[in-house]
Amino acid sequence: LNYTNKTQNFYPVKGVWTLEQRPFVASTAIEAGTAVSIQVVTSNPTGNLIAAPVSQATGQNIVGILAETIATTDSDYATAGKLRGVWIPIDANCEFTGPVGSGTFTLADVGRTCALVTGGKSVAVDTNGNACTITKFISSTRLQAKFNMAPIQTA
């Protein structure tokens, strides 16, 4: 946990974030800096986290940003419920920086609500969605945004 996010995926930059240990699914490699959400199976949350999907339509609310990589070489890789550090946004001003994964990103996109790219490591700036709202243009390949933490519930 005491290293810089070298993956250049998502990283907290504004607001109050807390670093907490959270449980993850078994046998799934996830890079540091990936947005993570609650795993939902047949409309039922499992209590474990996964890489955030493109859309949070089935109640897979984004919880935060994974602070440390889960690698296939980890001794607990195949264990469900293994704990890893996650940056959790705890106020409405929390923003992150991250890469543009698809689409043409311009200053005109600030304020747009977008989806994530498959894998939860970047933003699809030309795809309407409910994952995040762009708050700042950094460059054509990098942005600042906030996760939309609206309460989406499973049926």
Side-chain angles (χ1 to χ4, degrees):
L1 289 178
N2 295 320
Y3 63 90
T4 303
N5 176 357
K6 295 179 180 143
T7 65
Q8 297 305 304
N9 298 330
F10 299 133
Y11 192 78
V13 294
K14 181 180 174 188
V16 180
W17 297 72
T18 183
L19 184 60
E20 298 179 9
Q21 296 288 305
R22 294 291 176 99
F24 279 82
V25 296
S27 304
T28 303
I30 307 173
E31 284 183 45
T34 299
V36 293
S37 64
I38 300 164
Q39 180 188 41
V40 177
V41 177
T42 320
S43 296
N44 296 307
T46 66
N48 291 321
L49 301 182
I50 59 171
V54 172
S55 171
Q56 289 67 54
T58 61
Q60 295 167 313
N61 297 354
I62 294 174
V63 173
I65 300 169
L66 181 61
E68 55 185 311
T69 295
I70 299 172
T72 57
T73 54
D74 291 350
S75 62
D76 60 356
Y77 173 73
T79 304
K82 64 183 156 286
L83 298 176
R84 293 293 186 276
V86 176
W87 288 108
I88 309 289
I90 59 170
D91 71 40
N93 299 314
C94 288
E95 296 184 10
F96 61 88
T97 184
V100 173
S102 66
T104 302
F105 183 48
T106 68
L107 185 59
D109 290 311
V110 172
R112 183 175 187 161
T113 302
C114 303
L116 297 179
V117 172
T118 300
K121 296 182 281 190
S122 60
V123 177
V125 296
D126 287 346
T127 304
N128 292 331
N130 60 355
C132 65
T133 300
I134 299 168
T135 59
K136 183 178 180 180
F137 176 89
I138 296 173
S139 73
S140 62
T141 60
R142 204 124 185 103
L143 55 77
Q144 191 164 314
K146 45 173 71 175
F147 290 122
N148 295 324
M149 307 301 268
I152 300 170
Q153 298 183 5
T154 56

